[in-house]
Amino acid sequence: MQTPPQFTDTFVTIERFILEQERNIPDATGVLSDILYDMALAAKLIASHTTRAGLADILGSTGVENVQGEIVQRLDDFAERTIYRLNDHTRRLAVMASEEMEDIIPIPERFGGGKDGKYVLIYDPLDGSSNIDCNVSVGTIFAIYRRKSPIGDCGTLEDCLQPGRNLAAAGYIIYGSSTMMVYSAGQGVNGFTLDPHVGEFLLSHPNIQVPAKSKYYSVNQGYERQWSPGVQRYTRWLQGENETGKGLSMRYIGSLVADFHRNLLDGGVYYYPADIKNPAKPQGKLRLLCEANPLAFLVEQAGGYASDGRRPILDIQPTSLHQRVPLYIGSRDLVEKAEEFIREMDSVPA
Ligand code: AHG
Ligand code: MN
Ligand code: MN
């Protein structure tokens, strides 16, 4: 006689997971959970376009309208508009901000003007967009804060200029050989892989922890001559000029999300230093609000650390929407080593 099939309890959709986490918070109203679902939906829509990226030009080359009745958009523009459209009318948000938009993005008056929204959404709609044309992984990064301004008012710039310590949730989506959404709402970091056949994100990477042993360092070494002496020395330390004589392997994709994701799973450090000889990039390239803060929140939730070379990223009080910041992120010991070299060898910038 055949034994009945044994079902395991591992089929966890992102909806089920978000809901179960919400139950751990006694006074949760479900609004944050709904914003996370909205981001998962945005991820599916953007993923369905990134997988057709090479076709967009062919389909759009004549300027003809696509099936939705729109001219085919560049992917970063498509991602921007997708996230905005999924979130402008939900009455969950007070205000939004995006890497692609110079000013804060108000909620339209017809959808309440943000007066009833409890949260603030800040996002990089398409990260690593210079990699799209050559079919390399790209991503989306998002950060969710509780509003500062009182309910009943429209959301403000001050709602967006909060230190990362205040984050209620953050996450990213990676459009790679598969699509994954990785997020944290303050109860650890969990990763979900999209099953494209059923259109669901399924829990594939529960409780992600930065590995104790590091494999990689990731940096654009083409800019090495523009770095401070401390950062140059740190790089040689990573390469093996250290007490053990052993170096790490170097991997650099040039899509922050993809570089961060690999190091989160395999162990290592990513850095984008200040560019001391380039007046255009004195603070490096990455943006505090939509790139550094959400990833810093995730890495700390996973037991790692993020710094600007001198202090925790999450403690920086932002002063402007598109503020840039040097970033060292990954395994705690490696990031603290960067701080040590910078403290000992580099003067404090004026
Ligand atoms: P974005 O595409 O959102 O503008 O971000 C690009 C960023 C980041 O993803 C990546 O790590 C970095 O730019 C690469 O910069 P370099 O080419 O200077 O290494
Ligand atoms: Mn980016
Ligand atoms: Mn971007």
Side-chain angles (χ1 to χ4, degrees):
M1 207 171 87
Q2 272 193 331
T3 47
Q6 297 294 305
F7 292 105
T8 57
D9 192 27
T10 52
F11 191 76
V12 180
T13 64
I14 198 165
E15 278 82 1
R16 173 177 165 186
F17 189 86
I18 291 171
L19 215 62
E20 280 173 7
Q21 284 215 326
E22 186 192 308
R23 286 201 198 101
N24 297 335
I25 304 167
D27 52 353
T29 57
V31 177
L32 182 61
S33 296
D34 287 338
I35 300 170
L36 291 167
Y37 298 151
D38 291 338
M39 290 313 296
L41 178 57
K44 291 182 208 173
L45 291 167
I46 297 168
S48 76
H49 275 245
T50 55
T51 49
R52 301 170 74 232
L55 299 169
D57 277 348
I58 300 169
L59 299 176
S61 59
T62 57
V64 290
E65 291 186 353
N66 66 9
V67 282
Q68 278 88 37
E70 299 160 336
I71 303 293
V72 175
Q73 297 289 322
R74 277 191 60 81
L75 269 172
D76 36 15
D77 191 36
F78 175 81
E80 164 63 37
R81 292 180 331 133
T82 299
I83 295 172
Y84 172 73
R85 282 181 182 173
L86 286 176
N87 286 286
D88 69 341
H89 60 280
T90 60
R91 309 223 174 209
R92 295 174 189 131
L93 298 176
V95 65
M96 290 184 259
S98 161
E99 186 196 74
E100 295 292 327
M101 308 300 270
E102 196 166 334
D103 297 319
I104 57 168
I105 307 170
I107 303 298
E109 206 47 55
R110 68 182 188 285
F111 299 130
K115 294 184 186 117
D116 40 8
K118 285 169 62 178
Y119 289 93
V120 176
L121 175 66
I122 303 180
Y123 56 93
D124 177 355
L126 209 68
D127 174 67
S129 50
S130 67
N131 276 327
I132 293 170
D133 291 345
C134 41
N135 209 351
V136 172
S137 299
V138 292
T140 295
I141 311 174
F142 62 92
I144 304 169
Y145 292 91
R146 284 171 206 89
R147 73 182 298 163
K148 282 267 163 197
S149 57
I151 291 267
D153 290 355
C154 294
T156 62
L157 176 62
E158 281 61 45
D159 287 324
C160 298
L161 298 182
Q162 298 193 50
R165 279 287 165 226
N166 292 358
L167 275 162
Y172 61 83
I173 299 119
I174 177 166
Y175 312 100
S177 39
S178 61
T179 299
M180 272 190 77
M181 178 158 155
V182 177
Y183 87 93
S184 173
Q187 301 178 56
V189 180
N190 291 277
F192 302 80
T193 302
L194 181 65
D195 181 334
H197 297 293
V198 291
E200 272 290 0
F201 278 105
L202 303 176
L203 180 63
S204 53
H205 295 65
N207 192 24
I208 297 172
Q209 294 282 320
V210 172
K213 194 167 158 33
S214 293
K215 267 181 156 170
Y216 301 121
Y217 78 99
S218 310
V219 69
N220 188 337
Q221 217 148 342
Y223 303 139
E224 185 162 8
R225 291 190 311 156
Q226 281 133 240
W227 300 338
S228 65
V231 178
Q232 293 191 14
R233 175 69 189 90
Y234 174 57
T235 305
R236 292 199 303 277
W237 184 87
L238 292 168
Q239 290 166 338
E241 271 185 40
N242 57 38
E243 7 348 286
T244 66
K246 288 201 189 104
L248 296 176
S249 198
M250 203 282 283
R251 295 273 166 95
Y252 189 74
I253 295 167
S255 289
L256 174 61
V257 166
D259 281 307
F260 176 80
H261 181 70
R262 182 202 52 240
N263 291 359
L264 183 65
L265 298 185
D266 288 347
V269 62
Y270 171 100
Y271 53 112
Y272 204 113
D275 214 332
I276 56 166
K277 291 191 192 149
N278 182 349
K281 289 202 289 180
Q283 295 301 313
K285 180 179 184 188
L286 300 175
R287 288 183 166 95
L288 175 60
L289 265 62
C290 63
E291 294 177 317
N293 264 342
L295 298 186
F297 179 78
L298 288 170
V299 89
E300 285 208 6
Q301 283 288 320
Y305 178 45
S307 167
D308 72 349
R310 295 184 186 276
R311 60 197 160 150
I313 289 286
L314 294 178
D315 288 345
I316 300 173
Q317 171 60 54
T319 52
S320 68
L321 220 45
H322 295 285
Q323 185 172 343
R324 294 178 196 265
V325 71
L327 178 65
Y328 300 79
I329 189 164
S331 306
R332 178 169 279 279
D333 56 331
L334 295 183
V335 175
E336 284 178 348
K337 199 72 195 173
E339 287 181 327
E340 196 182 306
F341 280 119
I342 289 170
R343 195 167 49 239
E344 283 169 9
M345 298 180 69
D346 298 343
S347 54
V348 180

